[in-house]
Amino acid sequence: YNLPPFSKIKTTHFEPALHAAMEAHLSELEAIAASETNDFDSILKAYDRAGGLYSKVGSVYGNYLSSLNTPEMQDVQTAMAPVLSRHRSKTYAIPGLFSKIEMMYNMREEKVSSGEWDTEQSRLAERIYLNFVRQGAKLDSKSKDEYADIQAELAGLQTSFIQNMLKDEETWEMVLSENDMEGCPTDLVSAARQAALDRGHAGEDEYVITLGRSLVEPFLTYSSRRDLREKAFAAWTSRGELSEERDNLAIATQILKLRKRQAELMGYGTFAEFQTADTMAQNPDAVKKLLLNVWERAKESAKRERSCLEEFVAESGETLDGGILPHD
């Protein structure tokens, strides 16, 4: 099935593999820039197919990042995030490459009219050209360097933000007794018991709920203990804020500042304007209109569901302090 040899892959393989793949990718793009033939196949088709090795390695790397949250893998991610961002910036700054892409873009309508290109080829020319422009291809040298620096810093900050959330999921725990698991299905009780053993809680009546989705979400769904649901929900909604050492608020503030400057370099007033310009919505107002339309309908549905829950609570004879709350 041409699957990667996962059993042979080690964490230490990723950095050298990514570096080798990046070098190959740049060589392929440099060959396109140096090509003496300026037609669709030698420019756009070749560009579209460039980076095959980089894509293969990157796919495996991404798979490991999303499924192997070990300290060693996090170290690789932290080290490589700005490097990969720099590589992305380099791919759009190879001397002579953008001029060829722009030439293809400028002739697309003529080529379609003459029948030499079909609409898909024209769209590819347009898409690649826009990607170059949005990556700063038309900026002056100083602005290009600043834009690349911003992208690299954003990559590092976003990696730290995600890792802080994962660390909170990994470290937070709520140690319970079997009685505290009231209302929970047997498979959740068994999973909580195994989590306790995995975390060194060897007592016969010790169970652990963590912020891993497979534990906290079913616990919030089935637990009969409102006080424990409230505690778990508060921790779940505060991931990235549970430790002073992992201050995601400061990281988010810096990300917003960098995004604002990124938008300014590209000639936009806000990052929202820059981000939506290349989408179907085209502008933030259209996005807001859609979201508010959905929001009003969603509120009505939520109100109906809340009424049903309140009726159920009243029929059961139970009294909830403060009424129906998010952890209910």
Side-chain angles (χ1 to χ4, degrees), residues 12 63 92 106 109 120 221 228 244 249-250 252 255 265 281 293 298 300-301 312:
T12 54
N63 181 285
Y92 290 101
N106 289 335
E109 293 181 359
E120 290 183 4
T221 300
L228 297 179
E244 293 182 359
L249 180 59
I255 287 175
L265 285 170
N293 181 35
E300 292 303 316
S301 179
F312 175 79

Side-chain angles (χ1 to χ4, degrees), residues 4-182:
F6 289 108
S7 62
K8 298 180 180 179
I9 297 174
K10 298 180 180 179
T11 303
T12 54
H13 292 163
F14 283 111
E15 287 195 49
L18 286 167
H19 279 289
M22 286 187 286
E23 289 180 11
H25 189 198
L26 291 176
S27 294
E28 291 168 354
L29 296 178
E30 289 168 353
I32 297 171
S35 173
E36 296 181 359
T37 307
N38 294 319
D39 57 23
F40 181 88
D41 286 352
S42 62
I43 305 302
L44 296 179
K45 184 177 179 180
Y47 179 86
D48 191 47
R49 294 188 175 184
L53 178 61
Y54 182 66
S55 179
K56 287 182 180 179
V57 176
S59 295
V60 177
Y61 177 62
N63 181 285
Y64 270 66
L65 287 179
S66 62
S67 60
L68 187 66
N69 184 36
T70 63
E72 294 78 15
M73 200 65 215
Q74 289 182 5
D75 288 343
V76 173
Q77 184 183 26
T78 299
M80 292 305 297
V83 174
L84 294 173
S85 176
R86 294 283 184 188
H87 170 71
R88 178 178 173 82
S89 296
K90 287 179 182 178
T91 63
Y92 290 101
I94 293 173
L97 182 57
F98 177 62
S99 62
K100 288 181 177 291
I101 297 297
E102 188 172 34
M103 178 179 62
M104 295 286 107
Y105 171 77
N106 289 335
M107 66 171 61
R108 72 192 190 286
E109 293 181 359
E110 177 185 341
K111 290 291 186 181
V112 172
S113 298
S114 67
E116 293 182 57
W117 289 7
D118 57 28
T119 54
E120 290 183 4
Q121 289 173 300
S122 175
R123 176 55 178 164
L124 182 63
E126 180 182 9
R127 186 66 264 164
I128 293 174
Y129 172 80
L130 289 175
N131 287 345
F132 268 80
V133 172
R134 288 179 63 82
Q135 289 298 320
K138 287 196 168 186
L139 297 176
D140 59 53
S141 179
K142 182 179 180 181
S143 296
K144 283 182 181 179
D145 290 342
E146 183 181 359
Y147 195 82
D149 289 342
I150 288 173
Q151 298 239 58
E153 188 172 355
L154 281 171
L157 288 169
Q158 289 162 352
T159 297
S160 296
F161 188 97
I162 293 171
Q163 288 188 355
N164 284 347
M165 291 188 64
L166 291 174
K167 193 66 176 178
D168 280 351
E169 291 184 13
E170 176 187 333
T171 57
W172 187 90
E173 63 182 26
M174 183 166 61
V175 182
L176 308 173
S177 66
E178 186 174 7
N179 289 336
D180 293 331
M181 299 294 295
E182 180 185 355

